[in-house]
Amino acid sequence: MGFVQDAPQLPHPYRSDRLLQNLMARAVPAERRAALEADLTALGDYAQEAWQRRLDSTRSEPVLTQWDAWGQRIDRIELTPAWREGPLLTCRHQVLAAGHDARAGAHGRLEQFLRVYVYHVASQFYTCPLAMTDGAATAIKASGNTALIERALPHFLAIDPGSFWLSGQWMTETAGGSDVGRSETQARQDTDGQWRLHGRKWFTSAVVGEAALALARPQGAGDGAGALALFYVETKHADGRWRELRIDRLKDKLGTRELPTAEIHLDGLPAIPLGELAHGVRQVAPMLNVTRTWNAVCACASMASAIALAKDYAQRRKAFGHPLIEQPLHAHTLAGMQAEFDGAFALTFEVAALLGQVEQGASEQAPLLRLLTPLAKLWTGKMAVSVCSEALECFGGAGYIETTGLPQLLRDAQVYCIWEGTTNVLSLDTLRALAGSGLVPLREACEHWLGDVRHTATREAVHAALDQADAFLAHGADDAQGSQALARELAFTLARTAAACLLARQAHWMHLHGTGEAAGRREHAALERFLAHGINRLMPGRADDAQLLASP
Ligand code: MFK
């Protein structure tokens, strides 16, 4: 047999991840690191085993069986091995509970999301229902509904797999994905006061949860989003049978195929209102902001895997007499991906840290968190697709071959910019977040992050981008249509501006606290390259979209 190429090996996602280790050194208190390191090491071991298992076994997907042999409706879903292992890993390593652990104080969220980052790819998107469970716990806490807090949170935040419950988030209907105000599901009240839900939910990722938060229109309420209410439901009887719901089918999706996303009918499912019987979108917003943070962290995790595999392969694969890593253009391509990723990682974990601070009482940071959350979500979602696509190209034809495990990275990545709000929905949410204090919270944060950083190029680029964004917003006050049309460019500009400051802060910190002569050089190179790609994405004038889209 002729030459056979070595397969790429997935490096340990914690032990070999310098960004992650540097972040821990800077942001996690020394006395909290040992427990976190033990979990990250174990989850990283699991990730490497899972990658090998993926290559060594035939890929499996969830299977829905609706009827048993005797005609009984059962709606049984068989899960993949990684999904069956999910509750144990989640509880043993506190992937979810760590974010709500009062002993961790403001660091809890950061520590939680570091675990999510290492676990995500191996979990086969079991992290999706974990995100929703986390979001549900957060929304229920925010509602102040003590009965539900006592009923659901001990299950959602359990560290014992035997009592752990997953929660879904049931919003999307055939009439409305982004525009949930068109929801048709009705909530009707029995004579004894019990609310029951009737209707159809069109994208329930993942349906296997024991509970869910669902939007529905109370009978007699008017049209529109303001009239929707938010309800808590439990999906199963004590013996495991489904309550008043049917699973119509599992979705046939481009990616995330191990995740059982379903279409369901609610046939009078008992439901408990979280709070007032209106303004359900406002009540579900804390959940959306948490799941959007998960989305950003998981997008980063997918990019980290793709880049790590491409870098590993570049050492193994030779072409034209040299390993790929020694070919200048290949190295330049990889380095560009790495620099963009460094920026995305910095912004995403700043959001994770801020979430913990705001939840622990730093309310002065709330406007900044409100703005950075959609920015991190939309930017990392889009970037994950381009980085994973570029990573596949680094393997040539092998990157296009299913059994290398690589194409799945790209197919899965496409979901990040769709679910939990598309790029455009999140761009419009950015305008909503700016409506209060404009750019003031971001300007102040940029100054704070830059601190005594002396890198003139960063300061100039950041100030220029912020000035242009301010001018855009001032103009937008007179031209709402125009500012909506360019909301995406604005959002990318703001995300990149924040990321540039955070990269500069990290480079400065490494320069001061890193070990060895080269301390901070790698981070400085990432900053320079990131700046070279440009921060400002705003167009110089208003686009004439109507002309371009006019029919012949
Ligand atoms: C592995 C990764 C993990 C990720 C988990 C994956 C789960 C995947 C499953 C799904 O994808 S579930 C479907 C997700 N669907 C969405 O995310 C819906 C997308 N659409 C939006 O986000 C719209 O912007 C929204 C429905 C929120 C807009 O609805 P409206 O009715 O036009 O909202 P409106 O009137 O602007 O806002 C209503 C209230 O909510 C306002 O407050 P007030 O009532 O006090 O005025 C808003 O300020 C507030 N609000 C809206 N978005 C908010 C928010 N508040 C805080 N944060 C936000 N993000």
Side-chain angles (χ1 to χ4, degrees):
M1 198 158 52
F3 173 79
V4 178
Q5 175 62 47
D6 275 355
Q9 302 294 313
L10 183 73
H12 194 280
Y14 167 56
R15 281 200 299 264
S16 69
D17 190 325
R18 228 161 108 172
L19 285 186
L20 173 47
Q21 293 180 6
N22 291 345
L23 171 65
M24 279 175 65
R26 185 178 58 74
V28 178
E31 69 278 8
R32 297 203 53 82
R33 274 184 225 143
L36 179 58
E37 273 172 357
D39 281 332
L40 296 180
T41 302
L43 289 168
D45 293 345
Y46 178 77
Q48 284 188 304
E49 285 159 25
W51 175 255
Q52 202 51 49
R53 180 167 68 181
R54 179 156 136 181
L55 301 179
D56 293 345
S57 52
T58 309
R59 194 157 159 212
S60 62
E61 294 185 0
V63 177
L64 169 66
T65 304
Q66 287 172 309
W67 305 96
D68 77 2
W70 306 99
Q72 189 74 25
R73 183 80 191 230
I74 50 171
D75 290 348
R76 186 183 67 229
I77 299 177
E78 284 157 69
L79 298 169
T80 66
W83 272 65
R84 292 199 296 272
E85 290 155 7
L88 182 64
L89 281 144
T90 300
C91 293
R92 180 183 287 162
H93 302 297
Q94 301 206 33
V95 178
L96 207 163
H100 297 260
D101 183 352
R103 289 165 302 180
H107 299 287
R109 284 296 190 179
L110 180 60
E111 294 177 22
Q112 170 193 12
F113 281 114
L114 291 171
R115 291 170 165 95
V116 174
Y117 175 71
V118 174
Y119 176 45
H120 167 61
V121 175
S123 85
Q124 296 181 340
F125 285 76
Y126 183 74
T127 39
C128 168
L130 290 183
M132 294 187 283
T133 307
D134 190 359
T138 308
I140 290 173
K141 275 189 198 172
S143 75
N145 184 326
T146 43
L148 282 186
I149 291 173
E150 284 167 19
R151 166 83 191 157
L153 265 58
H155 292 293
F156 293 172
L157 305 178
I159 51 171
D160 163 21
S163 56
F164 180 59
W165 283 3
L166 288 174
S167 170
Q169 173 196 29
W170 299 348
M171 302 208 304
T172 308
E173 300 192 8
T174 48
S178 298
D179 184 5
V180 299
R182 294 184 64 201
S183 298
E184 293 170 339
T185 296
Q186 274 214 343
R188 299 182 204 146
Q189 206 168 17
D190 290 346
T191 46
D192 62 0
Q194 173 68 62
W195 286 95
R196 292 182 181 274
L197 304 190
H198 299 262
R200 187 187 198 187
K201 293 287 177 183
W202 188 238
F203 264 96
T204 55
S205 299
V207 75
V208 291
E210 286 80 3
L213 295 190
L215 285 175
R217 196 174 302 283
Q219 199 171 19
D223 293 337
L228 292 171
L230 185 63
F231 291 89
Y232 166 84
V233 298
E234 290 179 8
T235 58
K236 291 175 189 162
H237 293 287
D239 61 6
R241 280 178 305 116
W242 293 104
R243 301 185 71 118
E244 293 82 349
L245 70 88
R246 275 176 293 133
I247 302 176
D248 296 332
R249 64 175 164 175
L250 299 185
K251 296 279 197 190
D252 187 5
K253 294 171 290 174
L254 171 71
T256 68
R257 293 184 69 90
E258 291 86 356
L259 163 66
T261 303
E263 297 165 16
I264 61 174
H265 263 96
L266 309 177
D267 298 325
L269 183 65
I272 302 170
L274 252 73
E276 65 167 323
L277 283 166
H279 302 297
V281 174
R282 189 195 297 162
Q283 293 176 58
V284 85
M287 179 175 201
L288 294 182
N289 291 330
V290 165
T291 51
R292 286 169 183 174
T293 307
W294 278 74
N295 205 94
V297 170
C298 294
C300 285
S302 289
M303 287 189 269
S305 286
I307 293 173
L309 287 162
K311 286 202 307 200
D312 178 86
Y313 188 68
Q315 315 268 357
R316 296 172 191 275
R317 176 71 175 171
K318 280 191 179 158
F320 309 110
H322 298 283
L324 294 179
I325 197 69
E326 291 172 17
Q327 318 259 0
L329 183 51
H330 195 80
H332 189 69
T333 305
L334 281 172
M337 291 157 68
Q338 182 70 56
E340 288 291 302
F341 174 70
D342 276 27
F345 180 94
L347 178 58
T348 297
F349 282 95
E350 190 64 23
V351 170
L354 270 174
L355 177 63
Q357 289 161 24
V358 171
E359 286 181 338
Q360 294 301 315
S363 54
E364 73 284 359
Q365 302 273 37
L368 179 65
L369 176 66
R370 175 70 185 89
L371 174 62
L372 293 186
T373 305
L375 293 180
K377 193 284 184 190
L378 71 89
W379 185 42
T380 55
K382 260 323 199 211
M383 193 192 293
V385 178
S386 60
V387 164
C388 290
S389 170
E390 193 72 74
L392 259 56
E393 203 175 325
C394 292
F395 295 89
Y400 205 62
I401 297 301
E402 204 53 57
T403 46
T404 60
L406 298 163
Q408 190 181 344
L409 286 169
L410 177 58
R411 279 202 310 275
D412 287 350
Q414 183 67 51
V415 84
Y416 298 121
C417 49
I418 295 177
W419 68 13
E420 290 306 306
T422 61
T423 311
N424 283 357
V425 164
L426 271 289
S427 301
L428 296 175
D429 190 51
T430 302
L431 293 183
R432 204 191 266 116
L434 287 166
S437 332
L439 286 178
V440 174
L442 183 59
R443 268 193 193 275
E444 288 175 0
C446 288
E447 287 310 320
H448 172 69
W449 293 327
L450 288 176
D452 47 7
V453 169
R454 286 196 225 301
H455 195 251
T456 318
T458 308
R459 285 187 183 276
E460 285 177 0
V462 163
H463 290 147
L466 287 172
D467 289 348
Q468 190 150 1
D470 253 337
F472 170 84
L473 288 170
H475 180 66
D478 312 321
D479 178 11
Q481 295 280 329
S483 72
Q484 274 203 18
L486 298 187
R488 189 193 272 225
E489 282 84 353
L490 175 72
F492 282 120
T493 301
L494 299 181
R496 298 185 71 83
T497 303
C501 296
L502 293 164
L503 287 176
R505 177 184 70 177
Q506 185 68 13
H508 187 61
W509 191 89
M510 289 303 294
H511 176 68
L512 295 179
H513 302 282
T515 46
E517 265 187 30
R521 270 198 218 152
R522 184 213 166 278
E523 290 70 25
H524 194 76
L527 172 63
E528 294 277 354
R529 181 69 185 269
F530 188 81
L531 291 176
H533 292 168
I535 293 183
N536 190 359
R537 293 288 183 266
L538 278 163
M539 301 193 341
R542 192 181 162 184
D544 200 344
D545 298 332
Q547 276 298 331
L548 281 163
L549 299 177
S551 308

